[in-house]
Amino acid sequence: MVVSRVVATQRRALLSSAALRRTVMGCSEFRSSHTTSTSARPDIPTLSEFVSSFTTRQIEEPVVTNTTEVHTSITTTIPIAAAAPGHRRFKRSELPLPVLFDSPHAALSRKQLPKRTGTIAFKRGMMSIFDENGVRIPVTILQIDRVEVTYVKTLDKHGYFAVQVGAGARQAKNVTKPMLGHFSKAGVAPKKTVAEFRVRDESGLLPITQEITAEHFKEGQFVDIWARSKGKGFSGVMKRHGFSGLPASHGVSVSHRSAGSTGQSQDPGRVLKGKKMAGRMGGDYVTVQNSKVVKIYPEYGLVLVKGPVPGPKYAAVSIQDALKKPDVE
Amino acid sequence: MGSSFLMRLPARGFSAAETSLTALRNQMTNTLSDSRHVQNAGYQLSSKPKKAPIKIRQPAPSLLPKGSEPKQLLEQKLTSELDPTGWRRQLFQRSSPLALRPGDVVRVHFNSETSHTFVGTIMAIRRRGLDTSVRLRSEVAQLGVEMSVKVYSTSVKTFEFVSRAVKKARRAKLYYLRPDEKKGK
């Protein structure tokens, strides 16, 4: 005896075109549940009917009996909102409603993101190589050292798609217990650095413990690289903002490298906000876009990238497919 | 202490010895060992099951050999690729018997079809491994021309030794060969 489930169309019936227009287009009129059935209009739902129409689903379940014939059936109401996985904030209503401008779904559709995940690499210095035409190319050596996926973020649970990746190795005694637990849960050894890379959709997600090697990138492709730049400490205005300073002689007293004037006179009578002055320079995130991957050495896990890369030697650096170039693969 | 203690004395007649200090002390200890006077902590130490230890996995070994620098590894690899016979190293390593010295005249042959050769005196040798370059100076149609040639470049075919310096140059960089700017004016 075949048991078949038939999803009742009570919801659809309730949300007929007229009823839908009325409820969605802003009519807040609901049939009062206290009115008598004779004066009530059956097409306008009560508030409880309206709410239950999209929070519950009615299933006609055939009653299993000892006899071969199955005619009787019972209808059970099950909640449908609870069944869908993910955070309540990120779930989309099953109703044919327009996507709100401020929702995570709309934000994701607007955002420009690469298709594939990126990886963490360690900057290991610079050198130069010669191409087949004899042209010298200055390159930065980036080492992709034991990079594994440690976590995955999805639209349902987190509101966006991302791959979290860990690189390097660190002694367990130097890793905090929360992080040790995180790595243990992921099934990887304790890593030195962890970073997240946003991807466009599910196709860019990788399974946890998947290793990312130098072969993730292709020779000749373009990448975006971001890292914390070298710290310059408390820098003067000439270094920090490229001011010209004052003449070295001709009566200039003591202010050879100063900024000079910081504003006008009584109007506005104050120094404007954002005035370029001396202060801490460096140590902030810098992105270099469209760097070319010149050569890959998979046996050493090295990627040679044309030109300089922010940050000091041995620093962790994030690389991902260039946003402004066509998708790779 | 007074009244409550006295009330606990046994209801019988006392002899003179019993009412002495030792008797009182005995009474006190007996009274104090009564379980009613033992102070309880008020809570019970629970025996919680110990948390399972965190499973720590061992890291895989690095792809780079221990103690090696990637730059060094790559330089060794590329040097053997770009200079398999080793003639570049013979000409430009300081200790080599065939080494070129500043003041020698050398002819460079290029792989290009448009510019085949350049002859000139070696003014300077900049030794930087793969980035080693040599600066040559010559007079081409009464015009001084200097050229910096990357030794390991794939566009360089060969260096042909023309002649040794007449007198050994007393310095490594012969920038003095350039004409004085002031003398003409």
Side-chain angles (χ1 to χ4, degrees):
Chain A
M1 171 160 48
V2 174
V3 175
S4 59
R5 282 188 168 204
V6 176
V7 177
T9 54
Q10 187 205 6
R11 177 164 58 96
R12 279 191 222 118
L14 206 59
L15 296 171
S16 61
S17 56
L20 178 63
R21 262 184 272 122
R22 225 178 278 116
T23 54
V24 171
M25 295 309 171
C27 173
S28 56
E29 189 186 350
F30 288 109
R31 175 163 55 89
S32 170
S33 46
H34 300 302
T35 54
T36 54
S37 54
T38 48
S39 60
R41 289 178 61 186
D43 56 339
I44 302 175
T46 63
L47 182 60
S48 54
E49 279 173 353
F50 179 71
V51 168
S52 65
S53 66
F54 49 83
T55 54
T56 61
R57 183 178 293 176
Q58 295 220 328
I59 298 172
E60 277 185 17
E61 288 191 51
V63 175
V64 178
T65 58
N66 289 329
T67 62
T68 48
E69 291 174 19
V70 181
H71 292 297
T72 53
S73 66
I74 54 167
T75 52
T76 50
T77 312
I78 62 159
I80 56 174
H87 195 286
R88 194 183 60 210
R89 196 194 324 158
F90 307 128
K91 272 187 272 186
R92 278 220 61 205
S93 166
E94 288 201 11
L95 295 175
L97 293 171
V99 180
L100 286 178
F101 186 84
D102 291 326
S103 64
H105 307 87
L108 201 66
S109 66
R110 284 192 293 268
K111 193 141 178 87
Q112 274 195 342
L113 289 165
K115 204 160 159 54
R116 307 191 306 159
T117 181
T119 177
I120 306 172
F122 296 103
K123 182 176 168 181
R124 298 305 286 258
M126 287 189 79
M127 62 183 287
S128 61
I129 67 168
F130 295 96
D131 70 356
E132 57 277 357
N133 300 322
V135 175
R136 178 181 167 269
I137 305 171
V139 291
T140 308
I141 306 168
L142 298 171
Q143 181 199 8
I144 297 177
D145 181 27
R146 293 167 281 194
V147 173
E148 285 174 293
V149 175
T150 54
Y151 195 65
V152 156
K153 290 199 173 175
T154 52
L155 183 65
D156 294 330
K157 244 179 127 185
H158 307 95
Y160 60 97
F161 296 106
V163 174
Q164 190 195 80
V165 129
R170 197 154 178 190
Q171 289 182 45
K173 72 174 179 75
N174 292 330
V175 179
T176 61
K177 274 210 180 128
M179 286 312 289
L180 277 179
H182 178 69
F183 292 125
S184 171
K185 193 172 177 194
V188 302
K191 300 286 178 192
K192 205 178 209 181
T193 356
V194 153
E196 200 179 278
F197 294 92
R198 281 192 74 169
V199 292
R200 206 177 296 159
D201 49 27
E202 299 102 329
S203 63
L205 299 177
L206 293 174
I208 295 182
T209 70
Q210 163 111 12
E211 201 186 341
I212 300 176
T213 60
E215 285 164 317
H216 180 81
F217 300 103
K218 313 261 170 297
E219 281 182 21
Q221 78 157 95
F222 293 94
V223 288
D224 290 341
I225 304 173
W226 61 97
R228 289 192 83 185
S229 59
K230 278 182 175 176
K232 306 287 178 186
F234 197 102
S235 306
V237 114
M238 281 178 79
K239 186 187 186 76
R240 200 180 184 213
H241 299 296
F243 284 14
S244 336
L246 274 77
S249 70
H250 289 305
V252 170
S253 43
V254 180
S255 340
H256 305 284
R257 296 184 66 88
S258 77
S261 167
T262 53
Q264 296 78 35
S265 188
Q266 203 169 7
D267 182 16
R270 61 191 173 95
V271 177
L272 297 176
K273 260 195 187 294
K275 177 82 197 70
K276 289 181 181 174
M277 288 183 169
R280 186 170 282 192
M281 179 182 167
D284 40 22
Y285 277 96
V286 171
T287 306
V288 173
Q289 292 186 333
N290 306 327
S291 296
K292 195 170 192 177
V293 172
V294 176
K295 195 111 175 60
I296 292 169
Y297 290 94
E299 65 270 27
Y300 298 126
L302 298 176
V303 172
L304 301 189
V305 141
K306 183 179 175 183
V309 152
K313 238 190 293 185
Y314 311 111
V317 131
S318 299
I319 331 173
Q320 202 170 10
D321 298 341
L323 256 185
K324 297 178 180 174
K325 296 285 181 186
D327 287 341
V328 178
E329 242 185 345
Chain B
M1 184 183 131
S3 56
S4 58
F5 171 73
L6 287 168
M7 272 193 268
R8 284 190 179 81
L9 286 173
R12 56 183 168 91
F14 284 106
S15 65
E18 281 178 325
T19 51
S20 69
L21 202 60
T22 47
L24 284 170
R25 207 181 291 126
N26 289 336
Q27 286 293 325
M28 271 175 75
T29 46
N30 287 339
T31 326
L32 284 173
S33 62
D34 192 345
S35 61
R36 284 175 293 174
H37 294 274
V38 170
Q39 192 175 17
N40 280 329
Y43 62 89
Q44 214 172 8
L45 287 170
S46 60
S47 53
K48 286 181 194 169
K50 280 188 178 175
K51 278 188 186 171
I54 305 168
K55 188 177 179 186
I56 299 167
R57 285 163 183 84
Q58 290 302 308
S62 170
L63 287 174
L64 290 175
K66 192 169 182 185
S68 65
E69 276 291 327
K71 188 171 171 178
Q72 228 176 18
L73 278 174
L74 287 183
E75 284 215 331
Q76 281 172 12
K77 198 183 170 101
L78 286 170
T79 312
S80 57
E81 273 173 35
L82 292 168
D83 191 23
T85 55
W87 64 263
R88 288 175 172 108
R89 279 167 274 177
Q90 276 191 330
L91 286 178
F92 292 98
Q93 270 176 5
R94 225 186 283 267
S95 52
S96 158
L98 298 168
L100 293 170
R101 278 179 250 139
D104 297 351
V105 177
V106 135
R107 179 181 277 113
V108 190
H109 295 268
F110 293 105
N111 285 323
S112 158
E113 279 146 19
T114 46
S115 56
H116 302 269
T117 60
F118 185 83
V119 195
T121 324
I122 296 177
M123 270 176 72
I125 302 173
R126 181 180 179 268
R127 293 186 177 86
R128 297 285 191 278
L130 282 174
D131 261 322
T132 305
S133 73
V134 69
R135 201 165 183 89
L136 306 168
R137 185 183 170 82
S138 83
E139 292 272 316
V140 174
Q142 292 167 347
L143 184 72
V145 175
E146 280 181 26
M147 186 172 194
S148 180
V149 179
K150 288 283 177 194
V151 169
Y152 284 89
S153 170
T154 46
S155 65
V156 166
K157 207 189 292 175
T158 185
F159 280 82
E160 188 198 316
F161 178 78
V162 174
S163 64
R164 185 65 76 191
V166 169
K167 194 179 171 189
K168 183 191 164 192
R170 299 280 314 177
R171 39 191 42 77
K173 307 287 189 280
L174 315 180
Y175 298 126
Y176 61 80
L177 293 174
R178 290 173 181 157
D180 270 340
E181 285 166 13
K182 285 178 186 174
K183 264 187 177 167
K185 293 169 187 176

